[in-house]
Amino acid sequence: MQPIIEFEHFGFQYDAQAEPTLTDINLKIYPGERVLIAGPSGSGKSTLASCVNGLIPFSYSGSCSGRLTVAGVDAPHSSIFELSKHVGTVLQDTDGQFIGLTVGEDIAFALENQCMPQEQMHKTVERVAKLVSVEDLLSHEPHALSGGQKQRVSLAGVMVDQVQVLVFDEPLANLDPATGKQAIELIDQVQKETGAAVLIIEHRLEDVLWRSVDRIVLMDEGRILADQTPAQLLCSPLLAKAGIREPLYLTAAKYAGLTIRPEMRPDHQDTLTLSKEEKAQVRRWFSEPLPQSKAPAGEPLLEVRDLTFGYDPGKTSLENISFTLNKGEMVSIVGRNGAGKSTLSKLICGFETPRFGSILLEGRDLAGDTIKERAVSIGYVMQNPNQMISQSMIFDEVALGLRTRKLPEEEVTRRVHEALRICGLYPFRSWPVSALSFGQKKRVTIASVLVMQPQVLILDEPTAGQDFRHYTDIMEFLRQLNQQGYTVIMVTHDMHLMLEYTPRALVFSQGHLIADLAPARLLCDEQLVKQAALKETSLYSLATQCGIEDADGFVQHFIDYDREVRG
């Protein structure tokens, strides 16, 4: 069988960079294969995908070496139009992919270019829209949708074409856990129906492995480190060396002293095979006591009382929301896309005005404060970094708020450099923002808020698009801020983040606050998990497999042990 994609000693260097981003790539992908491309931020995996779909070198200029063929086409010397006949792509930044004024028009864009009859076009659009659950959004404007809805619309736009290669660049980045599972299931279903080769670029290894992939190509520093089956790679130390997080159930098994072997079928939690002695070993590990430390409860800081809000008359996005956050708390806000999580953040920051209810900071009602006045005490990092960035250079973007407050330039430089180091961006301090990836832009926006040292810090999906190393750097810094007395609120779909860093979770569903509890309890509650479109942690499944009845306790034991191990 001839490969559908073949790299032969391929290299690529952007015109704006001094060093190649890809070096000596040798890779063959065959029709019908499902391949996961994994690696830390800046490893070259998205650049690799851009070479396949023609964005390189036709949109992002640079020089190629070696050879790349896609469906028999000499890709670097072809055109985007020619490659689009063979390759469909869902970009990481979905806003950059929309063309139509409505969802229906956007999905139909490729069909219109093919001059498909209108009756057939409408049927195709409706069929695909139902597959990704956006059939009720066909008249909506794409840019007005939530992050998860945008992802599904982009996926629908790709599915209408009969292409031989499907490329998904971080398809889970903006999806709630349940929708992420559905997206992986949908990709799996589409691949089976079309027989197309599928390339998935993604940090979240465990989530992608919800369905089978044939191979994992691991990249770092522009080179291929490994090209192996999932079982082979999961049993090797290469993931850890590259800074990619392995599935949590495997980490827990290793903490218990087990050696992961290919014959254990470690690809999925439901296929993992443990002997009686290995299960007993996990139970013994769980029974080992760990030192317990409980932070004293702080004084009430942020109070939300009977908050009700709606964007449209007669409809409510949030209804009768009440809770209190204490000084020094670190809290996750979780729930399905469209549940009202980001809306709550906007209300707290003053971007929107509630219909009823009140928001108090240290007992003072914020109703009369302007956005600027609230920003002194409340910092907000948006989900989409492109909506926050206004400067062309990275240093200037992070320094903007400090300069607006007329701080001495020496102090500005010191604080900007400190924030850039924390966010892993110091080497890029003199770069233009346009040269960064989506994940790197995300870190720029976090840095631009961190330098302001607000009393309350609200982050909307702070780890979206981040590899495990940068995820850890950012979250450890946020934890240090929290230990110094800052109150940190994170709107997140990342169940790992919620488990590891926040002792408390506020759970939203359809505009209502349905639970306020510890994350370990939440992810072991099947009813709440389903209602809030979350995903049970694989630690819960491992506990059940090993005959541990106290699943909540097992999950908490893992969190505490992991914290001890990682310092």
Side-chain angles (χ1 to χ4, degrees), residues 366-378:
L366 298 178
D369 286 10
T370 64
I371 293 175
K372 181 180 178 181
E373 289 168 338
R374 293 198 196 196
V376 174
S377 301
I378 301 171

Side-chain angles (χ1 to χ4, degrees), residues 289-364:
L290 291 173
Q292 298 294 319
S293 62
K294 189 172 183 179
E299 299 174 356
L301 175 64
L302 184 69
E303 297 178 71
V304 174
R305 298 178 181 174
D306 301 319
L307 201 66
T308 297
F309 173 78
Y311 290 100
D312 301 315
K315 294 182 180 180
T316 56
S317 302
L318 290 172
E319 192 165 353
N320 297 326
I321 305 298
S322 296
F323 60 86
T324 299
L325 301 183
N326 295 327
K327 290 181 180 178
E329 276 203 281
M330 198 165 185
V331 179
S332 288
I333 298 179
V334 299
R336 69 175 69 243
N337 287 110
K341 308 184 299 299
S342 296
T343 299
L344 174 66
S345 302
K346 293 174 184 177
L347 288 164
I348 293 173
C349 293
F351 301 153
E352 302 287 353
T353 303
R355 290 180 185 172
F356 309 106
S358 55
I359 300 170
L360 293 85
L361 185 69
E362 294 185 313
R364 186 178 68 83

Side-chain angles (χ1 to χ4, degrees), residues 194-209:
T194 63
V198 169
L199 271 66
I200 303 174
I201 317 295
E202 184 59 66
H203 293 292
R204 292 157 58 174
L205 189 66
E206 181 174 342
D207 294 326
V208 174
L209 292 180

Side-chain angles (χ1 to χ4, degrees), residues 79-147:
S79 66
I80 289 182
F81 177 73
E82 175 64 26
L83 287 170
S84 69
K85 299 176 183 178
H86 308 287
V87 183
T89 305
V90 176
L91 297 174
Q92 181 183 6
D93 180 5
T94 51
D95 281 323
Q97 191 161 355
F98 294 133
I99 298 294
L101 297 178
T102 67
V103 168
E105 288 179 9
D106 198 80
I107 296 174
F109 179 71
L111 304 179
E112 289 177 329
N113 281 296
Q114 297 166 14
C115 299
M116 179 179 284
Q118 280 212 353
E119 185 177 348
Q120 185 181 350
M121 186 187 306
H122 282 295
K123 288 180 180 179
T124 302
V125 169
E126 289 169 3
R127 175 181 59 81
V128 173
K130 285 180 180 177
L131 281 175
V132 295
S133 301
V134 295
E135 66 271 22
D136 296 330
L137 303 175
L138 292 177
S139 61
H140 288 55
E141 180 188 352
H143 294 284
L145 303 179
S146 71

